[in-house]
Amino acid sequence: MTRATTADASLTAAERVARAWVSFVGSGPGDPDLLTVRAVELLRRADVVITESPEHTELVRALVPGEAGPELVDGGFGEDGQPLTHAARAKVVVKQAKRGLHVVRLLTGDPFLYASGPEEAQACAKGGIGFEIVPGVSSVAAVPAYAGIPLTTKDHREITVITCGDAAASRIDWARHAGDDTLVLLSAVGQIGDIAAALMAAGRPADTPVAMTRVGTSTEQQSVASTLEHIVADARAARMSPPAITVIGHVVDLRTTLSWFETKPLFGWKVLVPRTKDQAASLSLGLRGHGAVPVEVPTISVEPPRNPQQMDKAVRGLVEGRYEWIAFTSVNAVKAVREKFEEYGLDARAFSGLKIAAVGEKTAAAIADWGLRADLVPSGEQSAAGLLADWPEYDELLDPINRVFLPRADIATETLVAGLIELGWECDDVTAYRTVRAAPPPAPVRDAIKTGKFDAVVFTSSSTVRNLVGIAGKPHPSTVIAVIGPATAKTAEEHGLRVDVMAPKPDVEVLVDALADFGAARRSALVEAGEPVTKPSDRKPSSRRRASSR
């Protein structure tokens, strides 16, 4: 049930109009990170959101997931699939507002800049409906900025923005723009030949710099830098298509040193993230920061043990002082024990007198979030072997109790248990949670994995390797394989995968940075060789290279 369905139906028409409110909100040029703070706040509070494009629907669902979000109304296209006129869009807005609801009218870019916002706001004013304007980042400035092109500098301070649609271009007197001011052209892809010719005929030099950027601020952004003389051929060779922003003027030359977005190490890479759903966020966020497009595919579901009695008994033993140590081998283990504590009404004070071990820094951080401090974290490799290397032998004079509580996954290896027994300790190896293989991803995703449409895949555990291969098949030989550590690398190789990248430390952020370093080195090699910068998915070798960049 959406919020709109809960509106008060007992109000009269006049009362509904009095309560109505429309927020005209600019969604920016495409990158959702460019939404203003005010825009996000309004979208989360809205009863109805009137969208302008299909991307807006995805944007709202990402900000307000679930059925309790706002009602979505298409304000860009009619039932026949044709774009609505400005007048028709205004009618949609007024109709929704007259229901007595808070309506957010989402408009691409800025509501009052090359948009239907003015006409729609006038219709609200005529109908006695209150409204507000929330400016958005316009593509006029944002797209050139993402292409590394400043529209003004200390030497070039004048700009002219021109709309060049089919009808508009023929009415423009290009002789008025024969000087050296910067031109920003909208909807000029189809007319660029005529425009370039007219500007040169008016006196602009043929070598005047020109840049054309399509789908700016998205990870599909593509830019072509040229001159008035050659822009037609260069744009055609690059297969440039709308939507695009064209900049003409000497400021374009600064792109050589100021290009920052398209030169990100993983720009445009489609990266498969096989993770548990609740653990994918930080990994995906890091990948986006390097320009990648993460695609999360759940391969593991973390669930309680089938028989909770063993865990119940161990927690009671912990409270009663049965253990000298508790060893956490994952964040999930910490979470499982903490949930069991909350179930019993216990808190961190129950750990008094108990020594705590963590397999690595991430697990130690999860323990710290609980208000506890790990007494032992591996000084070397962050793994079961690293933990054993630093674990003290049992000493009957120094250690009053010889038992260790080891809450783990149901599929955990026996390395730690066997090592602790060798050191003289007794272990209660308890299943704290189960890792269950997720359902196979949709057929298009499975096909993309097998045919090399992903540029890279990041594996954060051996189980993600086994489960991904089990539910979707092996990644294509062209796909870059990145793993979090030696154990995961071994599992990947056992499944016939070549490991290209291995994190020097078993940490998600370190893994992302390692993949980014690999991408940067690959990009530099292509540039130095004078070859076009391509993605791994652009090339599909018939067999795997043996090289590894560990």
Side-chain angles (χ1 to χ4, degrees):
M1 180 181 292
T2 64
R3 296 173 194 151
T5 60
T6 63
D8 190 347
S10 65
L11 298 175
T12 66
E15 289 172 330
R16 289 188 188 125
V17 169
R19 288 185 56 173
W21 186 261
V22 177
S23 301
F24 290 95
V25 174
S27 70
D31 184 347
D33 288 340
L34 295 182
L35 269 177
T36 65
V37 174
R38 177 64 172 160
V40 172
E41 177 189 356
L42 289 171
L43 286 169
R44 286 177 171 160
R45 287 168 35 198
D47 298 312
V48 176
V49 175
I50 302 175
T51 62
E52 189 173 49
S53 68
E55 291 75 21
H56 284 168
T57 299
E58 298 175 13
L59 178 66
V60 175
R61 291 301 182 218
L63 286 172
V64 194
E67 297 181 0
E71 178 184 337
L72 296 177
V73 176
D74 189 348
F77 298 85
E79 294 181 358
D80 58 358
Q82 296 301 309
L84 295 174
T85 63
H86 285 199
R89 295 179 180 201
K91 288 181 180 178
V92 172
V93 173
V94 171
K95 178 183 176 181
Q96 294 300 323
K98 284 185 174 179
R99 297 166 62 191
L101 303 171
H102 178 202
V103 175
V104 167
R105 171 54 163 139
L106 201 54
L107 292 156
T108 301
D110 183 274
F112 273 19
L113 190 62
Y114 301 106
S116 58
E119 291 80 8
E120 296 176 22
Q122 288 179 73
C124 288
K126 184 178 179 180
I129 297 168
F131 64 90
E132 65 180 323
I133 308 299
V134 181
V137 178
S138 171
S139 60
V140 170
V143 172
Y146 268 56
I149 301 170
L151 295 184
T152 63
T153 67
K154 64 182 180 65
D155 299 318
H156 303 90
R157 306 184 67 82
E158 295 185 8
I159 64 170
T160 303
V161 182
I162 305 173
T163 300
C164 306
D166 293 336
S170 62
R171 297 194 300 267
I172 297 170
D173 181 6
W174 293 104
R176 295 173 54 192
H177 307 292
D180 63 354
D181 57 319
T182 300
L183 303 181
V184 181
L185 310 183
L186 311 180
S187 306
V189 176
Q191 292 78 38
I192 193 61
D194 294 336
I195 293 170
L199 286 170
M200 287 187 287
R204 280 236 179 185
D207 62 355
T208 300
V210 180
M212 185 179 288
T213 302
R214 62 179 296 273
V215 288
T217 78
S218 77
T219 49
E220 296 178 7
Q221 176 176 309
Q222 178 188 8
S223 298
V224 170
S226 184
T227 62
L228 281 177
E229 182 179 9
H230 300 295
I231 183 59
V232 175
D234 291 342
R236 184 182 298 119
R239 299 181 180 179
M240 299 298 283
S241 60
I245 301 285
T246 303
V247 180
I248 299 174
H250 293 290
V251 292
V252 170
D253 287 335
L254 292 172
R255 172 175 160 77
T256 305
T257 53
L258 298 183
S259 179
W260 63 274
F261 187 55
E262 292 172 58
T263 55
K264 286 189 173 186
L266 302 177
F267 180 76
W269 282 36
K270 194 174 180 181
V271 180
L272 185 67
V273 182
R275 295 274 282 168
T276 55
K277 201 63 179 176
D278 61 340
Q279 293 177 326
S282 62
L283 182 56
S284 293
L285 184 64
L287 289 168
R288 287 192 188 95
H290 290 295
V293 183
V295 178
E296 298 173 6
V297 176
T299 58
I300 299 173
S301 174
V302 177
E303 298 182 6
R306 295 186 187 279
N307 183 2
Q309 294 178 355
Q310 187 185 25
M311 186 70 166
D312 293 339
K313 180 180 178 182
V315 169
R316 285 196 300 270
L318 183 151
V319 175
E320 294 167 357
R322 176 180 171 82
Y323 302 107
E324 181 75 8
W325 284 89
I326 181 171
F328 291 107
T329 58
S330 69
V331 172
N332 282 328
V334 178
K335 182 179 178 182
V337 173
R338 188 168 182 174
E339 288 176 350
K340 187 60 68 172
F341 264 50
E342 291 172 354
E343 181 183 325
Y344 279 116
L346 301 170
D347 57 30
R349 289 174 294 182
F351 283 90
S352 178
L354 186 67
K355 296 173 184 174
I356 304 171
V359 76
E361 292 176 4
K362 284 291 183 184
T363 305
I367 294 169
D369 288 342
W370 199 357
L372 300 168
R373 182 180 64 84
D375 300 284
L376 177 62
V377 180
S379 57
E381 179 183 311
Q382 295 190 1
S383 64
L387 193 58
L388 283 172
D390 291 344
W391 198 289
E393 288 189 28
Y394 170 69
D395 188 319
E396 60 182 12
L397 296 178
L398 298 177
D399 300 307
I401 306 169
N402 71 337
R403 191 168 292 275
V404 178
F405 174 22
L406 188 57
R408 301 194 299 163
D410 57 332
I411 59 172
T413 64
E414 301 301 317
T415 302
L416 186 56
V417 174
L420 289 173
I421 291 173
E422 274 190 34
L423 291 170
W425 297 92
E426 293 185 16
C427 288
D428 281 358
D429 186 13
V430 178
T431 298
Y433 61 94
R434 293 183 298 132
T435 53
V436 181
R437 180 178 290 180
V445 175
R446 297 199 303 271
D447 178 69
I449 293 170
K450 296 175 185 176
T451 58
K453 293 176 183 175
F454 283 102
D455 297 288
V457 56
V458 285
F459 289 116
T460 54
S461 67
S462 292
S463 56
T464 56
V465 178
R466 289 189 292 266
N467 288 343
L468 180 71
V469 173
I471 66 177
K474 291 201 306 184
H476 189 275
S478 67
T479 306
V480 174
I481 305 297
V483 300
I484 202 165
T488 307
K490 181 181 178 183
T491 303
E493 289 167 348
E494 288 172 351
H495 284 77
L497 303 177
R498 175 205 67 244
V499 175
D500 299 289
V501 180
M502 186 170 73
K505 187 170 72 170
D507 179 277
V508 166
E509 284 79 8
V510 174
L511 173 59
V512 170
D513 289 342
L515 180 59
D517 290 342
F518 177 91
R522 183 180 179 278
R523 178 186 177 85
S524 296
L526 290 170
V527 171
E528 290 174 8
E531 298 181 24
V533 176
T534 59
K535 297 178 293 185
S537 60
D538 295 329
R539 297 181 176 182
K540 299 183 175 62
S542 57
S543 60
R544 283 195 171 276
R545 301 185 308 277
R546 302 305 300 175
S548 174
S549 62
R550 298 188 197 177

